[in-house]
Amino acid sequence: MTPLSPTPRSTLTRKKDRGRTDRAELYAVLDEGLVCHLGLVLDGSPVVLPTGYGRDGETLYLHGSTGSPSMRAAATEIDICVTVTLLDAVVYSRSVNDHSMNYRSAVVHGRARALSGDEKWHGLRVLTDHLAPGSWEHAREVSAKEFAAVSVLALDLAEASVKVRDAGALDHPDDVEADAAWAGVLPIRMSFGEPDTDPKCSVPVPAHVVERVGPSTKLPR
Amino acid sequence: MTPLSPTPRSTLTRKKDRGRTDRAELYAVLDEGLVCHLGLVLDGSPVVLPTGYGRDGETLYLHGSTGSPSMRAAATEIDICVTVTLLDAVVYSRSVNDHSMNYRSAVVHGRARALSGDEKWHGLRVLTDHLAPGSWEHAREVSAKEFAAVSVLALDLAEASVKVRDAGALDHPDDVEADAAWAGVLPIRMSFGEPDTDPKCSVPVPAHVVERVGPSTKLPR
């Protein structure tokens, strides 16, 4: 795999020790998140919107409606920025100033293109497999009318950076010596709860839904 | 409380039924999130970065280092967009196309200003109380040197919108009638795990940390 090779936009300017150059780490963050935050410039102002996405290889697929001004703008091959953030812990330090968070974040810069035909079908499948694995096979397939009303964008992962903080409290030695306040890590956990079946549905909860349920520290969020 | 009165930027263009005009809903989303996504334009390109924040009244405080180009740019009173998203559930529908998510999101537009003096102290306290309630009283206070090295921005909440999806599967009547695929809601839960004390720390885990632990469907995320 090609390592992440930074452009000026994707070069970390601070906390460089938190930067990762392994493409597998980029994929891991993107595959674990559930929504991204899509940033673009609309009428001269920055706009940041939560958006569904999915990844296949070196392509990030973004989901939208053809009626959304942001998605319509993003489809005109303007610069966009897509960020996925996973929160892992609150880090308590002996000093207020050294409090922090453990997190993993991926930032992708580029220009997206609107898909059509087979590419769009593939993108829809990737988006579905990301949000609800198993649903593509289980649920009623997308009709021609539905297909026309949805927009799927593709963004290349060439220009991306990954940042990770995965450490305990990093206090000044004087504060460690003083031992006057609690220091440690409070993990943040994401999990799926019990499925709540629609009252008009008599189909039992399928295995692909059941298997997502349960406590875990490593679940999509 | 003044209701949320949309400007062109903060007017929802689609799924307007998901828009809320109650300022209390804006506060609730902002108070429950743990990080925001800060969007701005840097060298002509949109940039979206996860950022710590806190709210007090009608002011959103943003946390940064004086060494961060994005925070330095944000402090020059350029347009920024701050988005906080809470994910509540994956919504499974009888059709692939009607799959969705339940979520609450807040989008704030405006220009931030860098704080100094007493206002900056107050902002730091709000940021700390948001990330780690109780730490302001418990941990070693911020020194003059630390105070100088951090940057705190204030953003007015005047121009904001809130969007909420909180519903089950919304399938076409034909799909409901066919009853051929499972439909329902898979809740997403966020909770704090067991605190992991720093090996060099002999201070017991304080109550303000212990009380965050445990399963919950309504915890900061």
Side-chain angles (χ1 to χ4, degrees):
Chain A
M1 261 186 314
T2 322
L4 295 171
S5 44
T7 63
R9 276 196 303 207
S10 65
T11 299
L12 301 179
T13 50
R14 54 185 299 276
K15 306 276 184 190
K16 295 183 190 187
D17 55 307
R18 297 184 189 171
R20 304 294 162 100
T21 55
D22 187 351
R23 202 151 273 274
E25 288 219 53
L26 172 68
Y27 295 166
V29 172
L30 295 176
D31 293 352
E32 194 175 323
L34 266 185
V35 296
C36 65
H37 280 82
L38 165 67
L40 47 84
V41 184
L42 206 60
D43 298 330
S45 298
V47 179
V48 178
L49 295 173
T51 305
Y53 74 95
R55 182 191 71 86
D56 183 31
E58 277 292 287
T59 305
L60 198 73
Y61 295 92
L62 300 168
H63 184 269
S65 154
T66 49
S68 154
S70 299
M71 289 305 281
R72 276 207 306 268
T76 60
E77 306 204 13
I78 58 172
D79 284 334
I80 64 172
C81 177
V82 173
T83 300
V84 174
T85 304
L86 309 174
L87 301 179
D88 292 324
V90 177
V91 181
Y92 288 76
S93 294
R94 293 146 181 104
S95 70
V96 164
N97 187 67
D98 288 323
H99 276 56
S100 188
M101 296 197 78
N102 283 341
Y103 64 91
R104 290 162 288 153
S105 67
V107 177
V108 185
H109 292 276
R111 295 179 177 202
R113 61 193 178 90
L115 301 182
S116 60
D118 286 349
E119 276 192 316
K120 186 172 167 183
W121 275 110
H122 180 68
L124 271 184
R125 161 139 214 180
V126 172
L127 288 165
T128 304
D129 286 347
H130 187 83
L131 175 68
S135 282
W136 189 265
E137 294 80 7
H138 177 80
R140 195 258 297 157
E141 65 189 5
V142 179
S143 72
K145 189 179 166 189
E146 290 166 344
F147 185 73
V150 75
S151 113
V152 180
L153 306 188
L155 176 65
D156 197 272
L157 291 176
E159 195 180 346
S161 62
V162 181
K163 214 165 163 181
V164 176
R165 190 196 192 279
D166 178 19
L170 299 174
D171 276 303
H172 189 278
D174 292 349
D175 291 321
V176 177
E177 177 73 24
D179 199 23
W182 185 73
V185 166
L186 185 65
I188 297 171
R189 291 182 176 151
M190 194 99 187
S191 62
F192 290 110
E194 288 299 319
D196 183 13
T197 300
D198 186 292
K200 291 181 182 166
C201 173
S202 68
V203 177
V205 188
H208 63 266
V209 175
V210 172
E211 67 196 18
R212 294 183 100 174
V213 178
S216 171
T217 55
K218 290 278 181 189
L219 270 179
R221 63 196 72 190
Chain B
M1 265 187 308
T2 323
L4 295 171
S5 44
T7 65
R9 276 196 305 207
S10 65
T11 299
L12 301 179
T13 50
R14 54 185 298 276
K15 305 277 186 192
K16 294 183 189 186
D17 55 307
R18 297 185 188 170
R20 304 294 162 101
T21 54
D22 187 349
R23 202 151 273 276
E25 289 218 53
L26 172 68
Y27 296 166
V29 172
L30 295 175
D31 294 351
E32 192 174 325
L34 266 184
V35 298
C36 65
H37 281 82
L38 165 67
L40 47 83
V41 184
L42 206 60
D43 298 331
S45 297
V47 179
V48 179
L49 294 173
T51 305
Y53 74 95
R55 181 191 71 87
D56 184 31
E58 277 292 286
T59 305
L60 198 74
Y61 295 92
L62 300 168
H63 184 269
S65 155
T66 50
S68 154
S70 299
M71 289 304 281
R72 277 207 305 268
T76 60
E77 307 204 13
I78 57 172
D79 284 333
I80 64 172
C81 178
V82 173
T83 299
V84 173
T85 305
L86 309 174
L87 300 179
D88 292 326
V90 177
V91 181
Y92 288 76
S93 293
R94 291 142 180 109
S95 70
V96 165
N97 186 67
D98 287 323
H99 275 56
S100 187
M101 297 196 76
N102 282 341
Y103 64 91
R104 291 161 289 154
S105 66
V107 177
V108 185
H109 292 276
R111 295 177 175 202
R113 62 194 177 89
L115 301 181
S116 60
D118 287 349
E119 277 192 316
K120 185 173 167 183
W121 275 111
H122 180 69
L124 272 183
R125 161 140 215 180
V126 172
L127 289 165
T128 305
D129 287 347
H130 187 83
L131 176 68
S135 281
W136 188 265
E137 294 80 8
H138 176 80
R140 196 259 296 156
E141 66 189 4
V142 179
S143 72
K145 189 179 166 188
E146 290 166 345
F147 185 74
V150 76
S151 112
V152 180
L153 306 187
L155 176 66
D156 196 272
L157 291 177
E159 196 179 347
S161 62
V162 181
K163 214 166 162 181
V164 175
R165 190 197 192 277
D166 179 19
L170 299 175
D171 277 303
H172 190 279
D174 291 351
D175 291 321
V176 177
E177 176 74 23
D179 199 22
W182 185 73
V185 166
L186 184 66
I188 298 172
R189 289 182 178 152
M190 193 99 189
S191 62
F192 290 109
E194 288 300 318
D196 183 13
T197 300
D198 186 290
K200 290 181 182 168
C201 174
S202 68
V203 177
V205 188
H208 63 265
V209 175
V210 172
E211 68 195 18
R212 292 184 100 174
V213 178
S216 173
T217 55
K218 290 278 180 188
L219 270 179
R221 63 196 73 188

